[in-house]
Amino acid sequence: MKGCFSHFMQKEISEQPESVKNTMRGRINFDQKSITLGGIKDYIPVIKKCKRFIFVACGTSYHSGIAVRNLFEELLNLPAVVELASDFLDRKPPVYRDDCCVFISQSGETADTILALRYCVDSGGVCIGITNIVGSTICRETHCGIHINAGPEIGVASTKAYTSQIVALIMMVLKLSEDCLSLQNRRWEIIEGLQQIVFKIKTVLKLEQGIKKLAESIIQNNKSMLIMGRGYQYATCLETALKIKEVSYIHSEGIASGELKHGALALIDENIPCILFLTKDSLYKKVHNSLQQIIARKGKPIIICNEGDSEIEDKFITIRVPEIVDCLQGVLNVVPMQMLAYHLAVFGGFDVDCPRNLAKSVTVE
């Protein structure tokens, strides 16, 4: 089943061009720039009347909600909140009939997410499921939903499901915003990005040998890592930190770079690896300021930047990825970080596909 790959995780990372293509297959007409989502088709008039979006998930699925939150707020001009299912259940916040509740789960059987779903159904909210497993509990108990069609994922650490969840959620918001003429150019820009993304993921996968060497240098003397970014890349920071923790057992922390001066800067020195997402978007200059702060403290940043970015000096360690529309850049940026986590685990001599103490699907609270 693993073919020529050493582990399922490595295989699933390499399958992402195909899994993302399958998520979009039959749903996007690139010539007409239109989206068709049969799973939510009957509920679209109801969803469009909603006044707030609540994304509820755990782990990697939670990060996919954070990755698209900005875009939902931008295209729908509605508040969007992302909740950890366990914390959501602890607080039991008010949910109203004009709320759209989106439940994200790779397996569709995540215990906390299912309990949160039942709470929202009882409260009268419109409930949408985003899952990878047809016929799962979340599929059955939500009003409507979208299957991400990423294919089987065997490795405990989720990789291709994460990128497919982001693409599925982006297609959803593009569909819901199709009536707004003032946003058509923005929508078309994103659809063009979706058309290019499969080829660009293939380009990123070619970076593996360089990332393998980087992992070998990191694993030698480091027990902790910092990962920083902001805007659309904040979700990528959190997901990178989670992947490194899950499979390599190196403590890692995802930090919004805007919060650097509020505590995290105290950790910066010449010894701690610091990964910084500095790809081109509206927040580029602000993240560049964070880079200067790291350098001033003798930090040695590892920078994820775009190909051809001449503002990043050659003296830094860089991972250069293709440029794409801002809301999809995280899909490209996370792929080299998945490879980094994988190779850190391999060099550490750990079981990549079955990390200690973890299960693929968390079916108990």
Side-chain angles (χ1 to χ4, degrees), residues 99 120 194 216 316 329 362:
D99 285 336
C120 292
L194 289 169
E216 190 173 14
F316 299 121
Q329 188 70 61
V362 183

Side-chain angles (χ1 to χ4, degrees), residues 67 71 74-75 166 170 174 185-197 200 232-233 279-282 306 322-333:
L71 192 63
E74 177 190 348
L75 295 186
I166 294 175
I170 287 176
L174 289 172
N185 289 339
R186 172 64 166 159
R187 289 182 68 257
W188 293 345
E189 179 188 24
I190 297 167
I191 290 171
E192 287 172 5
L194 289 169
Q195 189 171 15
Q196 302 165 6
I197 197 163
K200 292 190 174 183
Y232 283 107
Q233 300 316 311
T279 43
K280 294 279 189 179
D281 59 23
S282 61
N306 289 127
E323 186 173 355
I324 199 167
V325 63
D326 54 4
C327 63
L328 287 169
Q329 188 70 61
V331 175
L332 299 184
N333 290 355

Side-chain angles (χ1 to χ4, degrees), residues 3-209:
C4 61
F5 298 98
S6 301
H7 300 89
F8 282 109
M9 182 177 178
Q10 185 184 31
K11 177 175 179 280
E12 287 153 10
I13 291 170
S14 71
E15 286 176 344
Q16 285 177 107
E18 192 64 29
S19 61
V20 166
K21 185 189 293 185
N22 288 338
T23 303
M24 298 187 288
R25 192 185 304 277
R27 292 168 165 170
I28 302 183
N29 185 319
F30 292 112
D31 294 330
Q32 298 179 8
K33 293 183 171 59
S34 62
I35 311 284
T36 303
L37 295 173
I40 64 170
K41 180 181 177 182
D42 294 340
Y43 277 84
I44 285 177
V46 179
I47 297 168
K48 286 183 176 179
K49 293 177 183 177
C50 292
K51 303 299 183 186
R52 177 176 64 157
F53 281 81
I54 304 172
F55 298 91
V56 184
C58 304
T60 287
S61 297
Y62 170 74
H63 299 156
S64 67
I66 293 176
V68 300
R69 174 180 57 189
N70 297 19
L71 192 63
F72 271 76
E73 291 175 337
E74 177 190 348
L75 295 186
L76 301 179
N77 196 30
L78 292 172
V81 296
V82 188
E83 299 275 4
L84 284 167
S86 56
D87 183 56
F88 185 83
L89 287 168
D90 292 344
R91 291 174 14 245
K92 287 187 166 54
V95 175
Y96 305 108
R97 286 195 289 178
D98 58 359
D99 285 336
C100 181
C101 306
V102 183
F103 299 89
I104 313 168
S105 170
Q106 189 275 137
S107 66
E109 302 292 345
T110 309
D112 286 331
T113 308
I114 291 169
L115 292 172
L117 161 61
R118 290 169 181 165
Y119 170 78
C120 292
V121 169
D122 292 342
S123 299
V126 180
C127 296
I128 301 174
I130 309 292
T131 71
N132 194 31
I133 306 298
V134 176
S136 62
T137 301
I138 288 177
C139 289
R140 297 195 308 271
E141 297 191 13
T142 47
H143 297 112
C144 58
I146 302 170
H147 292 298
I148 64 173
N149 299 329
E153 192 175 63
I154 309 301
V156 168
S158 181
T159 51
K160 64 179 181 178
Y162 174 72
T163 49
S164 285
Q165 283 170 349
I166 294 175
V167 170
L169 288 163
I170 287 176
M171 289 193 297
M172 176 179 160
V173 71
L174 289 172
K175 180 64 179 177
L176 295 175
S177 62
E178 64 185 358
D179 294 335
C180 186
L181 294 177
S182 63
L183 295 170
Q184 288 306 309
N185 289 339
R186 172 64 166 159
R187 289 182 68 257
W188 293 345
E189 179 188 24
I190 297 167
I191 290 171
E192 287 172 5
L194 289 169
Q195 189 171 15
Q196 302 165 6
I197 197 163
V198 171
F199 171 77
K200 292 190 174 183
I201 293 174
K202 290 178 180 177
T203 302
V204 174
L205 289 171
K206 295 175 183 177
L207 302 173
E208 183 165 13
Q209 290 306 311

Side-chain angles (χ1 to χ4, degrees), residues 247-259:
V247 298
S248 71
Y249 314 146
I250 295 174
H251 171 259
S252 51
E253 184 177 354
I255 300 168
S257 60
E259 291 291 297

